[in-house]
Every structure is written in C-alpha cells, then in structure tokens.
Amino acid sequence: MKDLSIKNFVMILTLMVACVNQTSCTPIGCPPPPEPEFSLVGTTWSYTDRFEEDEISYTIDYTISFPSPIKAKLSMNIAIKEGTQTTNQRENIGYTYTYDNDLIIMNSMVTGYANLKGIITSETEMEVTNASLGEKIGTFYRN
C-alpha cells in the first residue's frame, strides 16, 4: 500500500509541475518568438555569367526563386553563340532548402545536378557556391 501512495504522490507532483510550466507564461509576460532576420519566401535572385572559349561565346542567366519556406527553383537560360549562329537552352531544376543565419543549403531534387550553398551578404546580395564541387558560381542580386 505504501508503494501505491508514493507512486500516486510522485505522479500528482509531476502533473502539478507540468501544469505550472504550461500556464506560467502568459502572452503578456512572455517575450515574442524571435522573427527571422530576413525571409526568402517570394524572393528572386539573378546572376549572369559571360565567357568565351575558342571563338564561341557563352551567356548563362541564372535565376533562383524561393516560392515556399522549403522549396527553391534554379532556372538557367544558356545562349551559345558561334559565328552568326546562336543556340538557346533553358533548364529548370527544383531544390529543397534550409535557411539559417544567412546560410542557405540547397539540395537538388534532380539526380545529376549540383547542390548549392548561398550566403546572404546583404538584403540584396547572395554569394552562391556549387557545394558539390566547392566552386563559386557568382554573386546573385535580389530582383
């Protein structure tokens, strides 16, 4: 019988502590949850890369958009000019991402495409790196 009453006492004490913890913080007395410094949702970032190789010029327009808190899309418009001929290609790659303390980790949803890492350096600039190779892609600017 003693064991049963000690168990009941401990159980009641535990419930009281849990209740006090749940009700001790009122909306007036608690600080508001921290707001993120910057939200990516709804933003679009762009970068253009131009280079020449053996009389062929390449222009790649990159755009990264963040339509939701977990999904991103990379669009690449590639123009290849050789003499008077220009060939255009367009690719869209879906990504999932995490964002914490100005660091964005983007994981490709398509096999064979690089994972990306972005570092927000200001509200209008983001340094993007090919995380799979460790090579810098460029500085993207917020549109």
Side-chain angles (χ1 to χ4, degrees), residues 34-40 99-103 120 122-123 142:
E35 290 186 26
E37 291 179 27
F38 181 76
S39 176
L40 289 174
Y99 174 52
D100 186 35
N101 291 326
D102 298 327
L103 175 65
I120 304 286
S122 75
E123 285 194 20
R142 185 175 176 181

Side-chain angles (χ1 to χ4, degrees), residues 20-75:
V20 169
N21 284 338
Q22 291 294 323
T23 60
S24 65
C25 189
T26 64
I28 296 171
C30 291
E35 290 186 26
E37 291 179 27
F38 181 76
S39 176
L40 289 174
V41 177
T43 65
T44 302
W45 305 72
S46 300
Y47 168 70
T48 299
D49 191 10
R50 292 183 178 89
F51 59 95
E52 289 189 29
E53 184 179 287
D54 299 327
E55 299 181 28
I56 301 173
S57 66
Y58 299 86
T59 302
I60 306 172
D61 292 317
Y62 296 92
T63 302
I64 300 174
S65 58
F66 297 92
S68 80
I70 59 169
K71 295 209 176 171
K73 181 175 84 170
L74 171 67
S75 298

Side-chain angles (χ1 to χ4, degrees), residues 67-88:
S68 80
I70 59 169
K71 295 209 176 171
K73 181 175 84 170
L74 171 67
S75 298
M76 294 186 295
N77 292 318
I78 305 163
I80 304 168
K81 185 174 181 183
E82 184 175 8
T84 59
Q85 296 283 359
T86 301
T87 304
N88 292 302

Side-chain angles (χ1 to χ4, degrees), residues 4 6 19 104-105 109 139:
L4 185 59
I6 291 175
C19 289
I104 306 163
I105 303 296
M109 296 169 63
T139 303

